[in-house]
Amino acid sequence: MELLACKARDGNLELAALIDPGVPRRIVGDVTRLRQVLMNLLSNALKFTHEGEVTVRIEAEPCGEGGLHEIRIAVRDTGIGIPAERLGRLFKAFSQVDSSTTRRYGGSGLGLAISKRLVELMGGTMAVESEVGRGSTFSFSFQTRAGTEAAEPELQRILAGKHVLIVDDNETNRFVLTRQASNWGLDPRTVATPAQALTRIEAKEHFDVAILDLCMPEVDGIELARQIRKTRPGRRLPMILLSSVGAEETRGLAEGDAPALFGAILTKPAHPDRLRAALAQLLGGDASVGRERAESKPIDSSLGQRLPMRILLAEDNHINQKVALKMLERMGYIADVAPPTARRRSWP
Ligand code: ADP
């Protein structure tokens, strides 16, 4: 989702993910292939949608011993849709809805065929529902085992029962944020406009923390934050700003008073782990709580001796070649490179 945030922003589309509480945080599977399928469905959804939003919904249900789960992932868009008579051919290789699609949108007509095949190799199925002019939903499901994870009692304790004010004009975002907040044990109080937020603050409703969307019509998130500060000069309400990458308003965020107003500024779609960590931090917890610690381990230079291997590096980009060779060298490997000189391949 983070990789596609820019594309969504350029197309003026909302991009949101809703992950149900029952979905395991870790699953056992092929991350690269799963990502490939998701990226294909999401890029199609963004490509064929000119107005509205693209949402991903993930649900899971236990379906057997040993943490076995049925995972269902649906990518929904409000785009151009696909005529009913074309749905059957959609997953065939080199198939596009009509030949003008290629001219207008480009593409090979291979993505869906490959995605469907990958999902089937995972033992799953893929399906599509669509209505011309209203949008499409591509969904797939497969069974997999949940990975083990450590409990996070500290984080739960910090967030439990805290009142969070959520202000966002977009209905889907409101829904996603509210659901996430409740799943984390917070008590969400969600409003659609800055005016409603101010009314509730002026009425002395108690809030522990606030999440404000940046781009809202009339009053934006920064202006709302200024007004909240004015309304509650004594008691500081910690605030988080959600901004979109590349938004007009985002430029110059660092120079204005935003850094002083907000305890955290996150770009949408905000990674749930990051949002939760920011909330925990502002609610008095440790900044590192909930964030996966990305301590980098030193490179093991004796790896080449302990696990001798002949390595062929296939990479046509010169810089990437250099970086990869350097990294391998630090692990004690000397790799062969193909192709030795950068040569471009052209795809159909
Ligand atoms: P490509 O996008 O590379 O042409 P795909 O196999 O991913 O290949 O898609 C095949 C065709 O299916 C597209 O060209 C388009 O006509 C149609 N399509 C796929 N996803 C969508 C979508 N979300 N909305 C409308 N049409 C779609």
Side-chain angles (χ1 to χ4, degrees), residues 40-41 44-49 77 79-82 90 92 95-98 101-102 106-113 130 136 138:
N40 178 233
L41 297 186
N44 275 350
L46 290 170
K47 180 160 130 184
F48 296 108
T49 303
D77 65 59
I80 61 172
I82 302 158
L90 218 51
K92 300 232 162 65
S95 132
Q96 291 182 320
V97 166
D98 59 53
T101 303
T102 324
S108 60
L110 268 176
L112 287 176
S130 189
S136 316
F138 284 83

Side-chain angles (χ1 to χ4, degrees), residues 118-340:
L118 286 174
V119 170
E120 285 168 357
L121 288 168
M122 295 175 199
T125 53
M126 182 175 274
V128 55
E129 284 167 45
S130 189
E131 206 181 315
V132 171
R134 306 217 46 172
S136 316
T137 303
F138 284 83
S139 55
F140 62 101
S141 56
F142 55 96
Q143 290 190 355
T144 187
R145 282 182 200 291
T148 46
E149 60 173 290
E152 298 171 299
E154 174 62 6
L155 199 64
Q156 279 162 17
R157 189 188 57 74
I158 295 169
L159 302 183
K162 295 283 179 1
H163 293 192
V164 52
L165 170 68
I166 297 170
V167 193
D168 198 317
D169 58 319
N170 178 275
E171 194 185 340
T172 304
N173 284 343
R174 276 202 305 278
F175 184 68
V176 170
L177 289 169
T178 309
R179 282 288 288 271
Q180 276 176 343
S182 326
N183 293 343
W184 297 334
L186 289 153
D187 183 351
R189 314 285 168 106
T190 308
V191 296
T193 65
Q196 288 168 333
L198 286 170
T199 308
R200 292 178 70 161
I201 287 175
E202 278 157 12
K204 303 245 170 348
E205 186 170 337
H206 171 75
F207 299 110
D208 297 294
V209 64
I211 301 175
L212 314 183
D213 182 35
L214 172 62
C215 299
M216 290 186 285
E218 289 162 33
V219 176
D220 70 13
I222 298 179
E223 183 50 33
L224 173 60
R226 287 188 198 118
Q227 295 186 17
I228 290 177
R229 279 277 174 276
K230 261 192 243 151
T231 316
R232 300 182 27 140
R235 296 190 47 230
R236 282 179 76 82
L237 174 68
M239 297 185 278
I240 296 174
L241 182 70
L242 296 184
S243 78
S244 307
V245 267
E248 262 316 299
E249 295 85 345
T250 317
R251 291 187 235 295
L253 258 188
E255 288 114 57
D257 54 352
L261 287 166
F262 295 97
I265 299 178
L266 304 177
T267 41
K268 289 196 292 186
H271 193 294
D273 285 348
R274 269 198 269 287
L275 182 57
R276 189 152 72 142
L279 283 163
Q281 187 189 357
L282 294 183
L283 287 168
D286 170 1
S288 67
V289 176
R291 202 185 302 148
E292 256 164 46
R293 284 171 208 199
E295 285 157 24
S296 54
K297 287 195 200 129
I299 287 179
D300 178 357
S301 59
S302 67
L303 207 61
Q305 260 172 357
R306 285 192 293 115
L307 291 171
M309 282 188 282
R310 286 196 63 193
I311 298 179
L312 175 65
L313 172 69
E315 167 61 75
D316 65 347
N317 180 290
H318 188 59
I319 308 273
N320 289 348
Q321 256 185 23
K322 272 193 152 165
V323 173
L325 285 177
K326 207 82 219 147
M327 280 165 60
L328 289 168
E329 198 184 298
R330 285 170 65 187
M331 296 172 197
Y333 295 109
I334 296 171
D336 292 317
V337 184

